[in-house]
Amino acid sequence: MRQLVVGSRRSKLAITQTKQFIARLKEIDPTLDIKIKEIVTKGDQIVDRQLSKVGGKGLFVKEIQNELFNHSIDMAVHSLKDVPSELPEGLTLGCIPDRENPFDAYIAKNHVPLDQLPDGSVIGTSSLRRGAQILAQFPNLEIKWIRGNIDTRLKKLHEEDYDAILLAAAGLKRMGWSDDIVTSYLDADLLVPAIGQGALGIECREDDTELLNLLQKVHNPDVFECVSAERTFLKEMDGSCQVPIGGYAKKVTDDEIEFTGLIMSPDGKRRFQHTIKGSKGIELGKEVSRILKEQGAYQIIQSLNEG
């Protein structure tokens, strides 16, 4: 096979998970010649503003997609939660590999449990989804914006005015952080994850048959079906980083998936959530979207997207 060039964001986490995926490919075929091309995206350049204030979709993928169209890379390893629900014509997700822990990690000073934080305690997160869900259940707490990579956020927790922070568990695990650093993992009953959280999406040109055949060897069809429910829900609800939207699907039997979709107002005061079971991810995503729209959830999205 030809030499393959993989596009990746320049962040430490992005490079690490790209190397891990390359290692997985080389388990299949040790003769593969693969190199990484680092690409700086718009989302990486914006470090002084909350991403929800910037607007738009694809803040972490557009420049990488351009490199695919230019044939300067053959594929890209994305955190799936960064990938818009609709891809440009000519590109496809060649595979969805095994999923890491999809939940959020709660890390507190002195490991104080979330439900024991004193009134007015400050939790750092850059996610409207996380902030809204925390405020809904713990209105006595304060949410404060925080940006930066894992190392930066952990440093800010101990050096700045934060009592706790929330991070994606998958990033911590891929970077090799010990479970000891985590006060608790917040499952979907407490904090519905982001769409696709913990999963990778391997994007390539849809006419690259040779590469697509290779990628199918590390494809996980069960994870694909689950994230299809989540991404369909995102698409149907016209979700973006300006909207507190969550979705999580899991296999409950060999042929049945349980999917929960969530839409909230940023202040946590309005919540629309529904859970159903079925066998087809896309159908589940569409059905939960239909139900939440009937309940009035789309009004929140429209007002946030227009604002």
Side-chain angles (χ1 to χ4, degrees):
M1 191 170 186
R2 69 188 194 271
Q3 182 190 61
L4 295 171
V5 182
V6 185
S8 170
R9 289 172 57 194
R10 191 168 282 174
S11 76
K12 219 181 331 184
L13 174 58
I15 295 295
T16 297
Q17 63 192 23
T18 296
K19 288 179 177 177
Q20 290 169 349
F21 180 72
I22 290 172
R24 181 76 184 91
L25 285 179
K26 288 189 173 182
E27 289 175 12
I28 303 296
D29 182 355
T31 69
L32 288 172
D33 180 12
I34 307 175
K35 73 174 187 178
I36 298 173
K37 180 176 182 180
E38 297 180 15
I39 301 163
V40 177
T41 68
K42 183 179 179 182
D44 295 311
Q45 295 171 323
I46 301 168
V47 295
D48 59 344
R49 281 175 289 166
Q50 206 167 348
L51 292 178
S52 59
K53 300 279 199 299
V54 180
K57 300 177 184 179
L59 286 172
F60 292 109
V61 302
K62 194 159 285 185
E63 289 80 3
I64 297 174
Q65 290 172 333
N66 288 339
E67 301 260 2
L68 280 168
F69 283 125
N70 294 338
H71 287 249
S72 53
I73 62 172
D74 298 292
M75 60 178 159
V77 178
H78 300 297
S79 292
L80 192 60
K81 68 178 182 177
D82 293 336
V83 181
S85 54
E86 291 189 90
L87 300 181
E89 189 174 345
L91 299 183
T92 187
L93 290 176
C95 84
I96 306 291
D98 297 346
R99 191 175 199 173
E100 187 45 274
N101 185 323
F103 302 123
D104 290 303
Y106 165 76
I107 303 173
K109 285 178 180 171
N110 302 317
H111 286 307
V112 178
L114 177 58
D115 59 3
Q116 293 178 28
L117 284 175
D119 289 356
S121 294
V122 175
I123 296 185
T125 177
S126 57
S127 161
L128 291 177
R129 171 192 60 84
R130 291 174 182 142
Q133 291 185 82
I134 291 295
L135 289 175
Q137 297 176 74
F138 303 98
N140 60 315
L141 303 180
E142 181 185 339
I143 298 297
K144 185 178 173 184
W145 172 62
I146 190 171
R147 282 286 308 279
N149 60 30
I150 294 171
D151 294 356
T152 300
R153 295 189 200 196
L154 289 170
K155 186 178 179 184
K156 287 182 176 180
L157 169 62
H158 294 289
E159 294 182 357
E160 297 184 20
D161 183 27
Y162 297 99
D163 298 290
I165 58 173
L166 296 170
L167 297 169
L172 289 167
K173 288 184 174 292
R174 289 195 177 111
M175 291 300 294
W177 286 93
S178 163
D179 282 346
D180 295 345
I181 196 173
V182 177
T183 305
S184 60
Y185 292 106
L186 308 179
D187 65 20
D189 292 333
L190 186 60
L191 218 66
V192 178
I195 306 294
Q197 186 160 297
L200 299 179
I202 315 304
E203 190 175 25
C204 62
R205 292 178 291 276
E206 62 184 10
D207 62 357
D208 194 342
T209 307
E210 182 184 30
L211 177 56
L212 285 166
N213 288 337
L214 171 66
L215 293 176
Q216 278 303 299
K217 295 176 181 177
V218 292
H219 180 65
N220 186 320
D222 287 343
V223 175
F224 174 77
E225 203 65 47
C226 287
V227 298
S228 293
E230 298 167 18
R231 288 172 58 76
T232 299
F233 175 69
L234 179 70
K235 177 182 175 181
E236 295 290 317
M237 298 303 295
D238 194 26
S240 70
C241 58
Q242 294 167 275
V243 177
I245 181 169
Y248 177 55
K250 63 180 180 181
K251 290 293 286 273
V252 289
T253 66
D254 285 345
D255 56 1
E256 190 173 54
I257 297 165
E258 180 183 273
F259 172 62
T260 298
L262 169 77
I263 301 289
M264 295 189 70
S265 59
D267 61 8
K269 292 180 179 176
R270 299 183 68 199
R271 183 187 195 108
F272 299 89
Q273 182 172 329
H274 190 72
T275 301
I276 58 172
K277 293 178 182 178
S279 59
K280 299 293 183 186
I282 289 175
E283 292 175 8
L284 293 175
K286 287 183 175 179
E287 179 64 8
V288 172
S289 171
R290 183 189 67 76
I291 290 168
L292 293 193
K293 283 178 179 177
E294 281 185 357
Q295 294 175 358
Y298 200 63
Q299 295 167 3
I300 291 178
I301 296 171
Q302 284 178 309
S303 63
L304 290 170
N305 284 340
E306 289 168 2

